[in-house]
């Protein structure tokens, strides 16, 4: 696994998010409920960017077909998606936010 820099921690306030390209992956990194999360930015049902979705109560909802996923585990909570969302570990070092992919 490799760490990829996202931003300075102070640049990612509550409710803020960033999308980073890591190889062929789009990773959505966000701060929600005081925690940092990193998940695939692409819905597992059909191509849709979750950065345009709704984040609420530890979940993200796809803006196209309304599949809902847990931010911590990627578990599908609402169809039509059936495949979990890939999740990634977030690391904070010396005030910098990194995602491990």
């Amino acid at each position: 696994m490799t760490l990829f820099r996202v931003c300075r921690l102070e640049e990612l306030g509550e409710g803020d998010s960033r999308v980073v390209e890591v190889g062929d992956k789009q990773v959505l990194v966000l701060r929600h409920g005081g925690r940092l999360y990193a998940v695939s930015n692409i819905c597992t049902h059909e191509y849709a960017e979750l950065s345009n979705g709704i984040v609420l109560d530890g979940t993200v909802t796809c803006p196209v077909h309304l599949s809902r996923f847990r931010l911590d585990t990627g578990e599908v909570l609402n169809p039509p998606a059936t495949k979990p969302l890939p999740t990634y570990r977030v690391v904070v070092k010396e005030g910098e936010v990194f995602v491990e992919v």
Side-chain angles (χ1 to χ4, degrees):
M1 295 285 179
T2 304
L3 292 179
F4 293 89
R5 184 184 181 280
V6 177
C7 64
R8 299 239 354 114
L9 181 59
E10 63 209 26
E11 297 173 322
L12 199 62
E14 178 65 28
D16 289 343
S17 65
R18 298 275 192 288
V19 176
V20 292
E21 299 276 338
V22 181
D24 63 346
K25 296 176 175 65
Q26 285 188 37
V27 179
L28 173 63
V29 180
L30 54 112
R31 183 178 270 186
H32 174 70
R35 292 186 55 194
L36 294 172
Y37 299 95
V39 298
S40 172
N41 187 43
I42 307 303
C43 182
T44 59
H45 172 244
E46 284 189 20
Y47 186 93
E49 294 181 353
L50 296 177
S51 56
N52 295 322
I54 298 169
V55 176
L56 184 66
D57 296 331
T59 67
V60 61
T61 301
C62 178
V64 177
H65 295 111
L66 304 180
S67 290
R68 190 165 53 106
F69 305 89
R70 285 183 53 157
L71 291 171
D72 57 351
T73 65
E75 175 187 0
V76 177
L77 298 175
N78 192 61
T82 57
K83 183 178 174 188
L85 194 62
T87 61
Y88 305 95
R89 189 167 81 96
V90 178
V91 177
V92 178
K93 284 186 179 180
E94 299 177 6
E96 300 280 339
V97 177
F98 297 87
V99 63
E100 185 177 66
V101 178

